[in-house]
Amino acid sequence: MTSHINGGDEESLTEPLVNSSRRQFSLSNTNSQLALVGVNVCPIESLDYEIIENDFFKQDWRSRGKIQIYQYMFMKWALCFLIGLIVSLIGFFHNLGIENIAGKKFVITSNMMLYNRHLSAFLVFTACNLGLTLFASLFTALVSPAAAGSGIPEVKAYLNGVDAPDIFSPRTLIVKIIGSITAVSSSLMIGKAGPMVHMASCVASLLGQGGSRKYGLTWKWLHYFKNDRDRRDLVTCGTAAGIAAAFRAPVGGVLFALEEMASWWRSALMWRAFFCTAVVAIMLRSFMDLCYSGKCGLFGTGGLIMFNVTKENVVYYLYDVPYVLLLGAIGGLLGALYNFILEKVLRLYNFINRKGIVCQIILACVVSLFTSCLLFGLPWFVACQPCSGDSPEACPTIGRSGNYKKFQCAPGHYNDLASLIFNTNDDAIRNLFRHSTDSEFHGTSMLIYFVTCFFLSIFSYAIVLPSGLFIPVIVTGASFGRYVGMLIGSKSSLNHGLFAVLGAASFLGGSMRMTVSLCVILLELTNNLLLLPLVMLVLLVSKTVADSFNANIYDIMMKLKGFPYLETHAEPYMRQLNVADVITEPLEYFHGIEKVGNIVDSLKRSRHNGFPVLNVPEESATPVLFGLILRAHLIVLLKKKAFVLAPVSAGADVLEQFSSVDFAKGGSSSIDDIEDVEFTDEELKKFVDLRPFTNTSPYTVVETMSLAKALVLFREVGLRHMLVVPTTADRPPVVGMLTRHDFMPDHILSLHPSLVNKRKRLRFQLTPFAKFF
């Protein structure tokens, strides 16, 4: 029979959003954590990145020849090519849909304004935005709530070893594509880069599921990828491809995956990720060539972002550096403030979203109506600007794009604020980044646009539809930088377009806290390598300033959602604790030859995913640790009925009853449950030899090891279970098991409340400016 080894209310403003939901979420699985996936609270599990070295695994690998090895290597590259191809197709048609839907809306509205039908234009503009938002929110809430938001926190948590339900399912991919097109087209201050990363990750995960029996895709070559390690690498390539498709930034995409998303990296993975993004870049360029002939409707040659800041050499001098430093410092402050306010709004929206689908839809519609009224009403409060005779394009501009929107102005005049608002975010950024436009925008209009983008991007995020933050942060930062450039005026040799680029970099660095990847992405966007020193400088300053206040926006979101993310570094107080200090639950284990009924009872009673296996050697009566067996493998053994009548060792022929496919991990929708397996009374009295299927080399640590050292080992190797063994021989061979949950600060501090004050004092010393927030 399975045995036990004993190892030992009020919501705060900083605890995860799911804590208040735990009281309402009844689970028999008391060991599963909960997290906010999209807008719903769901149970989450850890991923198995460790190679299970049991007798069956060793025999299977010995049976593979050079042909199987070459097949495996070929399929890795083939899947990377398919990821790049499919993501580029999705990216092209995604942008094509946004530009045409939003463009048609702006053309109709502009034509009505041209004939002074102001009320009709407002009603059409508001109705179109509301209809698109309503469709996107209903589609998301009813079909796949996991598709809400950007998806980057969920993907980043997955690459750290946290598996959440439905984040990579086919329906999530479909909802993400269609919902993102309609949501971005609805004039909400949201972006498409985050959803594009999630879409690309979905494509990579679906390709890496190793086929499907349901659809007849059971080719043997695909079975090689039925494990979490290979899927993790494919999803990492997918995140790089997503950024490459969103910004046409292949190198920036690889660096984004390396710096922000991936928790495990190696040179071979960088090679494949680079190949994947190169495919995306080449395919997107080919698709764009089709649009030069005018076959893409209102898409034209835009949509796939490429901002040419200037075609001339960028000239700057030493006296420009203080202004760049000032821009970076202010951008860091604004970025930290942005993250602070967004966190509070996310808590408010979570409280509303918990009320049900009706409240989620109402919230989305209210945000849409407020956004439409604000965007249509603000241009009325700014003065019209006279058209210049030497303008590079027709003034005023009639239609969707252009810097000279007539709006309500008299003939020969344009509304500079409307020129930014009544365009897609891509076109607005192009207008802000353009060179030789220092006289086209008024300072008051730029300040209004900056404040509007700052708050609308906060309140538009986290409603129940696909939405991203990358593009809104760029728009906000660009308007901020251009306004600073207007204030500085002739004191600097930099033009307003360059100030807009540097402002976008400072705000990105202040909110997202990336450096290398953001620098390369901006250089690929602006197509100008001469900006490199200034962009590097402003990113370093803004990140340094913002880090004094709070964490980056994605880390804040993961903490709010409740994902047990393992950081690269250990908290200082972890060095004061041993691993034995965090072991709380009784540990269940099996014997090498175990009774079927005992295994079934244990699997039904608990939801542990790994069990130590003890064995009694022939020359000794003292049990020793034999290894670790996974819950999924136990269920496979029970389903195959690999039983014996007496507690004797199984013969070598027991391995012939199984194939590698039996123990391979299926897709996101194929999860085996012990409740689905039926047993007779006679079968429950039989025995099963667990030793051929037990991992005989699990990672173990002694109970006196510091918790900080154990965390480094746990994260670097990518473990799901870590066994704790005693320091003396007179105790049981294993005294506990560490999982991801045991390394979470909330769990540790709940066991040792005396460390709470020490942690607060240390954090206050590390963040001297935190008191201002």
Side-chain angles (χ1 to χ4, degrees), residues 551-565:
N552 75 70
I553 190 62
Y554 296 126
D555 287 348
I556 290 176
M557 289 182 187
M558 284 194 299
K559 183 177 180 181
L560 288 176
K561 287 175 173 288
F563 288 117
Y565 187 84

Side-chain angles (χ1 to χ4, degrees), residues 94 120 131 153 155 178 180 191 222 266 275 335 360 364 405 427 431 468 500 559 576 685 704 755:
H94 185 265
S120 299
V155 176
I178 300 176
S180 179
L222 295 175
R266 59 188 187 279
F275 170 72
Q360 296 171 7
K405 291 289 186 182
D427 289 327
N431 293 342
K559 183 177 180 181
Q576 305 177 30
K685 297 177 182 179
T704 56
L755 296 175

Side-chain angles (χ1 to χ4, degrees), residues 663-684:
F663 293 97
K665 187 173 181 178
S668 58
S669 60
S670 55
I671 301 176
D672 293 328
D673 193 344
I674 186 62
E675 300 294 342
D676 298 332
V677 186
E678 297 181 356
F679 303 93
T680 63
D681 293 337
E682 290 76 13
E683 290 173 338
L684 293 176

Side-chain angles (χ1 to χ4, degrees), residues 131-141 175 178-180 182-183 464-466:
L132 291 170
T133 303
L134 182 62
F135 172 80
S137 57
L138 279 173
F139 193 42
T140 304
V175 171
I178 300 176
S180 179
T182 53
V464 59
L465 45 75

Side-chain angles (χ1 to χ4, degrees), residues 276-343:
C276 190
T277 57
V279 173
V280 173
I282 294 172
M283 296 305 300
L284 283 180
R285 181 64 188 179
S286 302
F287 295 144
M288 284 186 64
D289 289 340
L290 300 176
C291 294
Y292 288 137
S293 59
K295 297 180 181 179
C296 299
L298 295 173
F299 182 78
T301 59
L304 295 168
I305 306 175
M306 178 62 75
F307 309 119
N308 289 305
V309 175
T310 178
K311 298 179 181 178
E312 305 171 356
N313 291 334
V314 178
V315 179
Y316 50 88
Y317 302 96
L318 186 60
Y319 62 80
D320 293 319
V321 174
Y323 299 113
V324 175
L325 294 175
L326 177 64
L327 191 68
I330 299 176
L333 291 172
L334 291 174
L337 178 63
Y338 186 88
N339 293 0
F340 175 80
I341 299 176
L342 181 59
E343 179 183 359

Side-chain angles (χ1 to χ4, degrees), residues 410-432:
H413 292 71
Y414 70 97
N415 191 308
D416 56 346
L417 184 56
S419 301
L420 296 172
I421 290 177
F422 283 85
N423 272 319
T424 61
N425 287 335
D426 293 2
D427 289 327
I429 298 175
R430 287 190 185 90
N431 293 342
L432 292 169

